[in-house]
Amino acid sequence: MSTASFGRLGHLLRWLGLTLVVLLALQLLVLLGSWNWGEEGYRQLLMDRLVTQSPMALVGLLLMLFGSRLDHPAAGRTPLRWLVAVLSILLALAMLVAVPVSISGDRALSDQADQQLEARKAQLAAARSQMENPQVIEQLIAQAEQAGQIPATATAEQKQQAAKAFMERQLKQADDQLQQQQRARDLTVNQRRYGGTGTAVVLAIGFVLVALVALL
């Protein structure tokens, strides 16, 4: 490939990389324009947006660095490389800030989900205890008779069995819903823990490495 071709490729890589970095800036400007760091929801949204969009900026910085190397392979610390280094350091620091904020959000989300699960478990336990309550059984029998679900010729024992079978079906359905909620809670917490906090740590390391390469 000719020197002119390398020059055009380096120029293209620099602009492509800069475009990706600008896209991250635009994504963050939408939230920075309504700054409200004191609100937990705002902090989590800002950090989530930063972590999920930063890989794009990491690729952009690498493209800018490659383009600079193609144009000036033997040059020292050019202004473009300084720019890449400064942006990388700033984003690495942002990732370090995102880690404790993400951990705090994970803990709050986990506590909230646990409280909801405990409340559902308490409701389910209370409903199970009602199966031994004669008044509740009689009310179910009366409602079933009015709805035509229990034949009028059924014996008292058959009526009680039908009422208890209905309650068991309801409890089984509630228990299945509780298990689904438990699995959804575990999935959400793990996704935030590894997809959010873990990603922030990896990105911080990646930006530090890019900064070091830019300065070498």
Side-chain angles (χ1 to χ4, degrees):
M1 185 178 291
S2 64
T3 303
S5 298
F6 274 119
R8 288 193 295 270
L9 179 59
H11 187 73
L12 176 62
L13 290 177
R14 290 199 306 274
W15 278 106
L16 285 176
L18 182 61
T19 300
L20 294 177
V21 175
V22 170
L23 286 175
L24 171 64
L26 292 176
Q27 291 289 328
L28 296 179
L29 282 176
V30 176
L31 296 175
L32 294 177
S34 57
W35 181 263
N36 189 12
W37 187 256
E39 183 180 347
E40 177 68 20
Y42 175 83
R43 292 199 301 270
Q44 294 300 321
L45 179 60
L46 179 60
M47 292 300 102
D48 287 345
R49 183 70 60 84
L50 177 65
V51 172
T52 55
Q53 299 298 323
S54 287
M56 173 177 61
L58 181 62
V59 174
L61 292 172
L62 286 173
L63 290 176
M64 292 170 65
L65 189 58
F66 290 156
S68 176
R69 293 288 187 181
L70 285 176
D71 283 348
H72 309 286
R77 297 171 183 173
T78 63
L80 181 60
R81 294 181 189 178
W82 275 110
L83 176 62
V84 171
V86 171
L87 291 176
S88 298
I89 292 172
L90 290 176
L91 287 171
L93 293 175
M95 291 301 108
L96 293 179
V97 173
V99 170
V101 174
S102 180
I103 292 175
S104 175
D106 294 345
R107 187 180 299 112
L109 179 64
S110 179
D111 292 343
Q112 182 181 5
D114 289 341
Q115 291 176 0
Q116 294 176 350
L117 285 173
E118 290 300 325
R120 290 291 300 272
K121 289 178 181 179
Q123 293 175 356
L124 186 58
R128 290 187 186 279
S129 65
Q130 295 298 317
M131 291 187 65
E132 306 301 328
N133 190 331
Q135 295 181 351
V136 175
I137 298 297
E138 291 298 329
Q139 290 176 359
L140 285 176
I141 291 174
Q143 294 174 2
E145 287 178 339
Q146 292 178 359
Q149 297 175 347
I150 296 180
T153 57
T155 64
E157 183 178 357
Q158 291 174 336
K159 292 179 181 180
Q160 289 185 357
Q161 290 177 350
K164 289 184 177 181
F166 173 77
M167 292 185 67
E168 288 176 352
R169 289 194 298 270
Q170 294 295 105
L171 290 173
K172 179 63 169 57
Q173 183 178 2
D175 187 65
D176 291 341
Q177 292 176 351
L178 179 62
Q179 296 299 324
Q180 291 178 357
Q181 187 176 358
Q182 176 73 44
R183 289 192 293 270
R185 177 261 184 199
D186 294 340
L187 178 62
T188 302
V189 171
N190 289 333
Q191 182 178 8
R192 285 186 58 86
R193 180 176 301 158
Y194 299 109
T197 306
T199 300
V201 173
V202 174
L203 284 172
I205 297 173
F207 283 121
V208 170
L209 292 176
V210 172
L212 291 175
V213 172
L215 295 176
L216 293 179

